[in-house]
Amino acid sequence: MSIEQPEVSSVPSVEQIAEAVRRLTPYLTETLTRFVGAKSLPGEEMPGAEFLEQELATLGLESERIMLRTDLLRDEPLFSMPCCPDGGRYNVLAVHRPERSTGRSVLFNGHLDVVPTGPAELWSEPPFESKLHDGWIYGRGAGDMKAGIVCALAAFKALRELGVQPAANVGFNGVLEEEYTGNGTLATVSALRHAINTAKLTAFDAVLIPEPTHQKLSSAQLGVFWMTVEVVGKPSHAAYMQDGVSPLEAAQHFIAALKELEAELNLPENRHPLYRDHPHPINFNIGQLHAGEWNSSVPSTCEIGLRLSCYPNTDIDEAKRQAEACIETARLALNQPDIRVNVSYEGFHAPGCEYDLDAEPIQLLGAMHESVNGAPIERVALTATTDGRHFRKMLDVPVTNYGPIARSVHGFDESVSLASMIEVTEIFARFIVEWCGVEALPA
Ligand SMILES: [Zn+2]
């Protein structure tokens, strides 16, 4: 005798998803806290990569390591000059692959590297000892962007806890070097492209990058490049300062000239249409300035470390030429034959791009946001760069950035909103259900 089973739908309801995500609040907090503790500064990202491998394994996902091999990337148009040796570092890529894929796939891409903290004693609490206070989780990298990666993992976990799994490939890619070259994602995209060309893998149908965008969709991002200006002068005893020529004082003129160029690019009539309403989209940042050996000598050299930006429709090599010409004009105006200037490039060579927010998966993400959050999704043209450019420019795949609300990213006491993480997790889980479809977990 057989008992007829009532037909059970394997698609969880909106309420069930919301409840499953809410139950994962401790998971979000604990995982992010430990992830922040896996200190992953530039060039030293491996603790973050190892942490992600373990978390993926806990979710039943096996990772592959994509080694950073700059010798293989050098000819790519999006290649940036490295700031540190490859050193055996790798990205972590795990893909959930159902036995028979019936839906559309998605890749969550996030960076493992975090930026330097500055003097740790200027933080309220040690930057790598993450804590939850008043609904905010603190620590370097908490917002930018370990929280976003944790939200993607939690969305997958929430569905599994409801007895289902995505009915299409869902990838999780943790990358190196997003904050200074982008060569990490370049390594994965170039490996994916190779795999697609050799038919080893199907392409992803959408890519989501959960950067801390304040739950807005990014419509564009600027071109960004790093530039080092070495100024050589003529050292002398401070008592006879007039015999010397200070490269530090010359550098101040070059910085002033660059600031004038920055102001010109920010004039309303010079702004790119997507940045028209932004009061100051182009930022020329003096990130480093090193000069001199001690107080009683006119310095012999001065090095300026710059991060410059340009609009998405400006050719980045043209932007570099423009900055170099600006410095050269300032050098000639100084009329100081003892001042020599050498410009070099290391770090970001990141052309800007615009995103197609009308693409189907991005529209769907927007609809899920509105359904969970209650307000229509907003669009933002980013004044930074992100790894979205690799997917936009190298693969024909819809991509954008969308992630939780964070405060003080790159600053002291960086933090991310736990409420926003919960919401983003729910939105990602709903997105997976709609985009990938779900099926019952295999017995
Ligand atoms: Zn980031």
Side-chain angles (χ1 to χ4, degrees):
M1 177 183 152
S2 72
I3 298 163
E4 282 271 299
Q5 292 288 335
E7 199 174 290
V8 177
S9 162
S10 60
V11 181
S13 70
V14 166
E15 293 75 23
Q16 284 173 315
I17 294 171
E19 182 49 34
V21 169
R22 246 191 314 275
R23 278 198 303 268
L24 286 182
T25 305
Y27 170 84
L28 290 171
T29 309
E30 283 161 24
T31 310
L32 180 56
T33 300
R34 287 185 294 115
F35 204 174
V36 169
K39 187 172 163 182
S40 46
L41 289 163
E44 301 165 5
E45 294 96 340
M46 285 307 94
E50 284 160 18
F51 177 87
L52 183 59
E53 275 177 328
Q54 281 164 17
E55 287 308 306
L56 289 162
T58 310
L59 295 174
L61 295 166
E62 202 182 316
S63 310
E64 66 174 298
R65 295 176 174 183
I66 298 179
M67 303 303 295
L68 179 68
R69 291 263 315 268
T70 52
D71 58 324
L72 300 180
L73 305 174
R74 222 164 261 284
D75 294 332
E76 294 283 359
L78 295 185
F79 176 72
S80 296
M81 282 304 287
C83 304
C84 48
D86 295 350
R89 290 174 299 143
Y90 53 85
N91 297 331
V92 174
L93 174 65
V95 183
H96 155 78
R97 292 187 172 88
E99 210 152 284
R100 199 171 54 86
S101 178
T102 54
R104 294 164 293 187
S105 58
V106 61
L107 176 70
F108 291 96
N109 195 78
H111 64 85
L112 301 166
D113 53 318
V114 304
V115 302
T117 60
E121 61 274 20
L122 296 181
W123 287 60
S124 302
E125 275 165 311
F128 296 103
E129 289 172 25
S130 180
K131 296 225 170 65
L132 171 68
H133 291 301
D134 302 327
W136 294 83
I137 302 172
Y138 287 80
R140 172 57 86 232
D144 188 11
M145 62 167 285
K146 289 178 171 174
I149 297 174
V150 172
C151 291
L153 298 177
F156 183 79
K157 184 176 168 71
L159 295 176
R160 287 181 60 95
E161 293 189 355
L162 290 168
V164 295
Q165 63 176 14
N169 288 2
V170 175
F172 301 92
N173 188 36
V175 301
L176 315 167
E177 297 212 355
E178 190 273 347
E179 296 281 8
Y180 51 112
T181 65
N183 289 344
T185 288
L186 182 63
T188 291
V189 172
S190 115
L192 283 176
R193 199 174 52 182
H194 182 74
I196 292 161
N197 288 341
T198 55
K200 269 162 61 189
L201 193 88
T202 49
F204 283 98
D205 298 312
V207 177
L208 298 181
I209 304 185
E211 286 275 11
T213 63
H214 284 240
Q215 295 190 231
K216 295 175 185 176
L217 292 177
S218 42
S219 56
Q221 64 188 42
L222 294 178
V224 168
F225 58 96
W226 282 12
M227 185 183 206
T228 303
V229 181
E230 191 200 12
V231 188
V232 181
K234 187 180 169 203
S236 77
H237 192 300
Y240 321 107
M241 204 172 79
Q242 291 71 16
D243 294 343
V245 182
S246 169
L248 177 53
E249 288 176 23
Q252 287 172 306
H253 288 279
F254 303 154
I255 291 170
L258 286 167
K259 285 286 168 185
E260 268 175 45
L261 173 60
E262 179 196 50
E264 188 188 320
L265 293 169
N266 280 306
L267 289 175
E269 61 269 31
N270 292 336
R271 285 181 211 151
H272 178 281
L274 286 171
Y275 293 87
R276 198 135 286 161
D277 298 330
H278 196 293
H280 200 278
I282 297 290
N283 294 329
F284 286 3
N285 184 56
I286 321 301
Q288 302 189 63
L289 189 66
H290 305 282
E293 293 84 32
W294 73 322
N295 295 3
S296 281
S297 294
V298 171
S300 46
T301 62
C302 176
E303 198 179 273
I304 320 167
L306 295 147
R307 173 275 196 198
L308 309 182
S309 56
C310 61
Y311 292 112
N313 56 350
T314 304
D315 178 80
I316 195 155
D317 290 307
E318 180 52 38
K320 287 182 174 179
R321 278 192 292 273
Q322 197 179 25
E324 283 182 41
C326 170
I327 294 167
E328 179 58 10
T329 306
R331 189 189 68 82
L332 291 172
L334 275 182
N335 198 21
Q336 270 293 359
D338 287 310
I339 290 292
R340 285 171 289 150
V341 173
N342 177 41
V343 171
S344 60
Y345 297 95
E346 206 173 71
F348 276 132
H349 170 86
C353 65
E354 293 176 37
Y355 293 105
D356 176 12
L357 300 185
D358 294 327
E360 200 186 341
I362 312 303
Q363 289 281 311
L364 176 64
L365 183 70
M368 295 299 100
H369 168 95
E370 186 165 350
S371 170
V372 172
N373 177 279
I377 197 157
E378 290 177 48
R379 299 173 167 203
V380 61
L382 300 176
T383 51
T385 184
T386 75
D387 280 351
R389 68 185 179 279
H390 302 93
F391 298 98
R392 181 73 177 132
K393 288 178 170 284
M394 292 173 70
L395 298 176
D396 187 18
V397 55
V399 54
T400 192
N401 297 280
Y402 175 86
I405 297 168
R407 299 188 300 201
S408 192
V409 295
H410 294 212
F412 298 138
D413 296 340
E414 173 179 346
S415 61
V416 64
S417 154
L418 177 59
S420 177
M421 282 182 75
I422 294 168
E423 209 173 284
V424 168
T425 303
E426 188 180 339
I427 289 161
F428 284 165
R430 296 264 309 268
F431 174 87
I432 292 171
V433 170
E434 296 289 329
W435 183 252
C436 311
V438 287
E439 60 185 27
L441 281 178

